[in-house]
Amino acid sequence: MDTDRTRRFDEELSIHLEDAHLEGHLVIPLDSPGTVVFVHGSGSSRHSPRNKRVATALNEAGLGTLLFDLLTPVEALDRANVFDIGLLSRRLVDVTNWLTRLEAWTSGPIGYFGASTGAAAALRAAAELKDTIACVVSRGGRPDLTGAVLSQVAAPTLLIVGSLDTVVLDLNREARADMLCENRLEIVPGAGHLFEEPGALERVAELAGGWFLRHFRAVEPSRR
């Protein structure tokens, strides 16, 4: 248990599912209004430096975060698994259900933060879990890979894309035409796909934090 009095829980955890054992890191600040589950992109993991930076910023804003590996080390060796959106979304659903049963976690809104291909998995899982997911944020995501269920996503969705990431930007604009939920596209000026430019990732964290706080606080008390 973390001794930082601003955090109620801060631990590395093993996530035991029926078909896999995964590793994760759960942080829950005191009086957190909700928890953000991170869904990393292809070839990445819970150690993604960009996701960790955003997670730290969200923790500082009072939000809970869960960073975890979507695949086991053995599964990750098969490149087909890395791009299997169906597999990744099912794994995310299982991890979300695991989180809701965890003793350290208290009932409250859950949101997804998906990066790259992870955003497609997040949106597909959100479509399946429906009212369980309060909102979704996509960073340089591929909502076009979500498939036909994109129109079934009910969770308010924020799409964040760098202005220099022109191909992904066009794909996000096209995907919005199939989205029936509340959605918004935010373009970060001068940023590429990885948001490595000075201030770019900080802007992502700012936009994401605002979206999560707004929609977590809007959740009816009976669902918290």
Side-chain angles (χ1 to χ4, degrees):
M1 183 70 69
D2 190 6
T3 57
D4 185 345
R5 293 185 179 180
T6 65
R7 297 187 179 187
R8 186 170 61 81
F9 192 89
D10 185 348
E11 284 190 10
E12 297 285 335
L13 297 171
S14 291
I15 302 171
H16 298 288
L17 308 176
E18 286 188 8
D19 63 341
H21 289 173
L22 310 172
E23 299 303 319
H25 183 198
L26 177 64
V27 175
I28 305 178
L30 289 172
D31 302 320
S32 173
T35 303
V36 178
V37 178
F38 279 71
V39 194
H40 62 74
S42 60
S44 190
S45 70
R46 73 185 189 281
H47 297 300
S48 162
R50 286 169 289 279
N51 279 353
K52 289 176 72 173
R53 284 175 60 188
V54 173
T56 297
L58 296 184
N59 295 152
E60 291 173 350
L63 293 162
T65 56
L66 173 64
L67 294 160
F68 76 100
D69 295 326
L70 279 163
L71 301 171
T72 67
V74 173
E75 289 173 336
L77 294 175
D78 185 343
R79 294 296 293 172
N81 290 332
V82 173
F83 295 98
D84 188 338
I85 304 302
L87 167 63
L88 301 180
S89 64
R90 290 193 300 273
R91 186 61 54 78
L92 177 57
V93 167
D94 289 344
V95 169
T96 303
N97 290 331
W98 167 88
L99 176 63
T100 63
R101 297 190 298 267
L102 189 66
E103 184 178 352
W105 181 83
T106 55
S107 61
I110 295 174
Y112 288 152
F113 182 96
S116 191
T117 52
L123 287 166
R124 190 175 291 192
E128 179 175 342
L129 292 174
K130 301 188 184 302
D131 292 341
T132 300
I133 305 305
C135 56
V136 177
V137 173
S138 163
R139 170 180 66 80
R142 294 291 306 276
D144 56 296
L145 297 178
T146 305
V149 299
L150 184 59
S151 62
Q152 299 173 26
V153 177
T157 300
L158 174 64
L159 307 170
I160 307 175
V161 185
S163 66
L164 303 181
D165 195 8
T166 54
V167 173
V168 172
L169 181 55
D170 288 342
L171 291 171
N172 275 256
R173 284 171 169 155
E174 293 170 6
R176 289 190 72 201
D178 296 322
M179 300 179 73
L180 303 180
C181 61
E182 175 191 346
N183 64 84
R184 192 168 83 210
L185 173 63
E186 286 282 357
I187 301 172
V188 179
H193 185 63
L194 298 179
F195 296 89
E196 296 176 308
E197 298 77 11
L201 205 56
E202 287 74 14
R203 179 57 177 159
V204 169
E206 179 184 12
L207 290 167
W211 192 260
F212 287 123
L213 287 170
R214 171 190 165 194
H215 290 285
F216 284 170
R217 289 168 176 164
V219 172
E220 296 177 4
S222 60
R223 288 178 52 200
R224 295 181 182 177

